[in-house]
Each structure stands twice: as C-alpha cells, then as structure tokens.
Amino acid sequence: MVYITGVIVSEFRYCKLTREWTLFAPERLKRPKDLDNKREKYLGEIIHEKCPFDMGKEEFTPNEITRVSQDGKWKCRVVPNLYNALSVDIPSVSNKDSYFEKHSGFGAHEVVIETPNHDKQIWEYDYNDLINYFTILQERAINLKKDDRLEYLSIFKNQGEAAGASMSHSHSQIMALPFLPKKISDEIEYKKSYFEKHQRALLDDLVYEEINHEKNIIAQNSEFVLYCPYASQFAFEAKIVSKKRLSSLIEFNKSDLSALCDITKEYFSKFYTTLGEVSFNMIINNAPYKEYNYKTRDYYRFNIEIKPRIFKQAGFEQGSNMNINVILPETATKIYKEDR
Ligand SMILES: [Zn+2]
C-alpha cells in the first residue's frame, strides 16, 4: 500500500486468474452519504443544509480545479474528490516482477459539480446547463491528457442510490488511470483489428445497421444518433453515438458540443417522462489517451451509454458475465417515443 502521512491511499492489484485489476481504495469508506436506501428522500432533505456541493459551501470542496461562471456566479465546478480512490501526488510505480503484481494508486479523481442548485437533476437541465457541463468535461479531458503518465480517461455519472451514488446533489466523476483496464485494452484491440480488416470503424457499422433496422432509433440529428442497442444489457439502455468520426470530446468544436447538448436534452426529457426518477449510470466513452493520434478516429467512436438501474442484477450475471434483460430494445424504443 502507498502511505501519505500515515494514511493508506490506494493501490491497484492484479489478479492472475482473471487478468483483471482491482483498485483498493480504503479512503472511499469515509465518504459522506445522503442517499441511503429507503431513507433516500428523508436523508436528502435533512442533509441539504450541510451539502458541500451547494452555492456558498465552496470552503468544503477546496482546491477548485476549474469552474464555469456567469454573472459572477459559478454554474459548474470541478474539484478534487476528497475521498479519492487515486492521487496525482504520488509516484506512478509498479512491481511487475513480483508474483503479487501491483501498481501504486497514481491517477486523477475529480468531482464535477454540475449545478449549484441542490434539487436540479439532469432531466431538468436547460441547454445552457448542458453546454456548461460538456464544456467543462472537454476542458478536463484536454488538460489531463497533458500528463503523459495517464493512459485512460473515465467519465461517468452515478444517479441515485441503486446506481452507486452517495450524494443526491447532481454530480459526475472523472478518473484518469496510468494504464488501460483489461476490458478497454481488449476493446481497443478488437476495434483496431476490425478497422484493419474492413477499413471502417466497428461502431460506425453498427450504427449504420441500427439506422437501417429503424426499430431501435429514438432520435438523431446531423451529428449524433440516439438508440437502444440491439443487444442492450439493461432495460431501457440507450446510447448516443457520434456520426461525425469523432473519437473524443477533445476533438469537439462548438457546433459538435451544441448538437451533443440537443440530443442529450432530448434523451433525458424522454427518460424522465418514461421512467421517472430512476437510478442510472451514464458513461461518457472517449478514446483512451494511450496511443491517441490522428488515426484514432479511424477505429474509435465517441459515445455515451445510459444504463437505467430498474432491475437488480444477481448471481447469474455475476457468475456468467451475461445479463438477463426483461425489456427488448425495440419495446423500450417504442415506449421512449410515445407522446405523453
Ligand atoms: Zn447540494
């Protein structure tokens, strides 16, 4: 373990059996919670006064990394995660030769406070809220890339207790790792070999087929398509994919960001009218920093996955890594598109 002034920070440990890494982060146990099962609503109200993400409580989230302001007031902030699983202040070291392989908990772990408004959720965001959000994510994606020890960027949002959120105030997280998780390196290899064989990006071909298939398309604009994937793992799972050969937020210009906000706003409006305040995970997938160059756009496509947590996963999914989904994507699409 890596210690800073006597505190255990974190470390990655490699499992020879699964060839997967696990990040051990004991500090995460200390993080505050205002979401707790059935008491979610009650605790949310009680804790509101103490919420460190509110306007006027900035002293509880020190060392701000960046903010978007309007009329002298902040609209969106990025701060270091106080209960971080990773730290950029420790050396990036590994012991590859040891039987028990490990890597120090080097990396970035940041919180994006999406709005100063404690009660505003993503389905209530207007266009400006979303522009602020994606602009600040883009800025962080660009700046973290400057540290060439970082190979992988993970941007995600856990909404609601069933999705793993501990705070009800709307926020996302950014993590940057010194290596690619196995799932990602396998995916990159697969996408590269697909491109070598077909001279096309795998996700471009999948989107092309989904558009021809029609049944799973919820909406599209000139730059993005929104659909429920043919083999969705979760009920009402949705995906937003770039149609413009963009592989990362880093490459987005103003009109790309604007089109992304439009389709995200449209999706969450449908999400709320269809599902209500359901927990979900949102994963914003960008091409990894590792080996990122002008060729990355050939095989990797920027996309956002939204996975509602309506039904619980159990032993079968854990053991087989195969999900059971009770809602067909064509049914989910139809319900999303119904006028209410
Ligand atoms: Zn709050």
Side-chain angles (χ1 to χ4, degrees):
M1 287 282 181
V2 175
Y3 293 81
I4 288 182
T5 59
V7 179
I8 297 170
V9 180
S10 62
E11 70 181 25
F12 299 94
R13 291 186 177 186
Y14 184 70
C15 175
K16 284 185 155 39
L17 193 63
T18 59
R19 292 174 295 143
E20 304 272 9
W21 290 88
T22 295
L23 174 55
F24 288 84
E27 277 293 290
R28 299 285 294 157
L29 267 181
K30 297 181 192 161
R31 67 198 165 135
K33 279 184 89 171
D34 74 347
L35 287 178
D36 192 5
N37 291 330
K38 292 164 197 146
R39 293 181 296 153
E40 184 164 322
K41 184 89 184 157
Y42 172 73
L43 277 171
E45 283 162 8
I46 297 296
I47 299 290
H48 187 175
E49 275 185 21
K50 293 180 191 165
C51 176
F53 295 167
D54 290 356
M55 177 85 71
K57 306 278 176 61
E58 294 79 8
E59 66 193 278
F60 296 109
T61 50
N63 306 315
E64 180 180 284
I65 295 164
T66 187
R67 67 164 64 185
V68 173
S69 295
Q70 223 172 317
D71 306 325
K73 289 182 175 169
W74 67 268
K75 297 289 171 190
C76 190
R77 301 170 73 221
V78 179
V79 297
N81 193 317
L82 276 184
Y83 303 89
N84 55 328
L86 297 167
S87 170
V88 284
D89 298 324
I90 59 171
S92 178
V93 287
S94 64
N95 67 339
K96 273 203 154 68
D97 302 328
S98 164
Y99 187 82
F100 290 115
E101 187 180 344
K102 65 183 177 185
H103 196 110
S104 62
F106 165 80
H109 194 177
E110 303 174 355
V111 177
V112 183
I113 306 167
E114 298 165 15
T115 165
N117 186 337
H118 184 83
D119 299 313
K120 199 172 193 178
Q121 298 301 338
I122 194 167
W123 44 79
E124 296 163 312
Y125 288 2
D126 60 24
Y127 177 83
N128 279 335
D129 295 325
L130 286 166
I131 278 285
N132 293 339
Y133 175 62
F134 284 117
T135 302
I136 219 163
L137 292 183
Q138 181 185 45
E139 183 191 323
R140 291 313 298 146
I142 291 168
N143 280 323
L144 286 165
K145 186 176 176 294
K146 290 174 186 162
D147 187 333
D148 55 18
R149 295 170 298 175
L150 296 169
E151 294 193 345
Y152 174 62
L153 174 73
S154 169
I155 305 177
F156 58 95
K157 176 179 174 68
N158 303 329
Q159 170 84 33
E161 196 269 338
S166 53
M167 302 287 283
S168 59
H169 193 126
S170 198
H171 67 285
S172 297
Q173 295 182 64
I174 298 173
M175 291 177 83
L177 272 56
F179 54 81
L180 301 188
K182 179 173 178 290
K183 180 190 166 209
I184 304 298
S185 62
D186 287 352
E187 178 194 318
I188 296 298
E189 282 315 305
Y190 182 46
K191 286 178 172 170
K192 276 184 178 170
S193 68
Y194 187 92
F195 178 79
E196 274 163 28
K197 200 170 170 189
H198 303 281
Q199 302 299 301
R200 294 188 307 270
L202 173 60
L203 197 45
D204 286 352
D205 278 3
L206 277 170
V207 162
Y208 177 83
E209 294 298 337
E210 289 280 17
I211 289 172
N212 279 344
H213 183 61
E214 287 181 10
K215 287 181 179 169
N216 301 333
I217 304 293
I218 304 171
Q220 51 180 321
N221 59 29
S222 59
E223 301 201 23
F224 294 93
V225 56
L226 162 64
Y227 65 104
C228 295
Y230 170 74
S232 300
Q233 291 185 309
F234 295 87
F236 292 95
E237 179 177 335
K239 196 160 181 158
I240 295 170
V241 181
S242 162
K243 295 198 289 185
K244 221 185 102 179
R245 296 190 76 246
L246 297 168
S247 76
S248 165
L249 275 173
I250 290 171
E251 300 151 9
F252 279 46
N253 62 28
K254 278 202 160 56
S255 100
D256 302 328
L257 282 172
S258 175
L260 179 62
C261 291
D262 286 339
I263 203 131
T264 305
K265 190 171 182 306
E266 182 171 359
Y267 173 68
F268 278 106
S269 154
K270 290 183 190 303
F271 175 97
Y272 184 69
T273 51
T274 306
L275 304 173
E277 297 188 7
V278 155
S279 296
F280 67 87
N281 298 104
M282 176 165 79
I283 304 115
I284 301 176
N285 292 306
N286 295 276
Y289 292 148
K290 188 186 180 187
E291 295 174 10
Y292 177 86
N293 59 37
Y294 68 96
K295 285 184 178 168
T296 307
R297 292 168 74 155
D298 288 343
Y299 62 85
Y300 193 95
R301 201 58 66 239
F302 171 87
N303 68 87
I304 299 179
E305 296 171 286
I306 302 107
K307 301 179 176 189
R309 296 289 180 162
I310 303 168
F311 304 102
K312 285 217 160 45
Q313 291 186 311
F316 177 72
E317 284 88 346
Q318 291 277 333
S320 63
N321 205 21
M322 182 190 291
N323 282 29
I324 298 175
N325 187 347
V326 293
I327 307 281
L328 288 163
E330 48 269 37
T331 309
T333 305
K334 216 171 147 188
I335 298 172
Y336 270 134
K337 289 169 86 169
E338 275 170 12
D339 284 330
R340 288 178 184 83

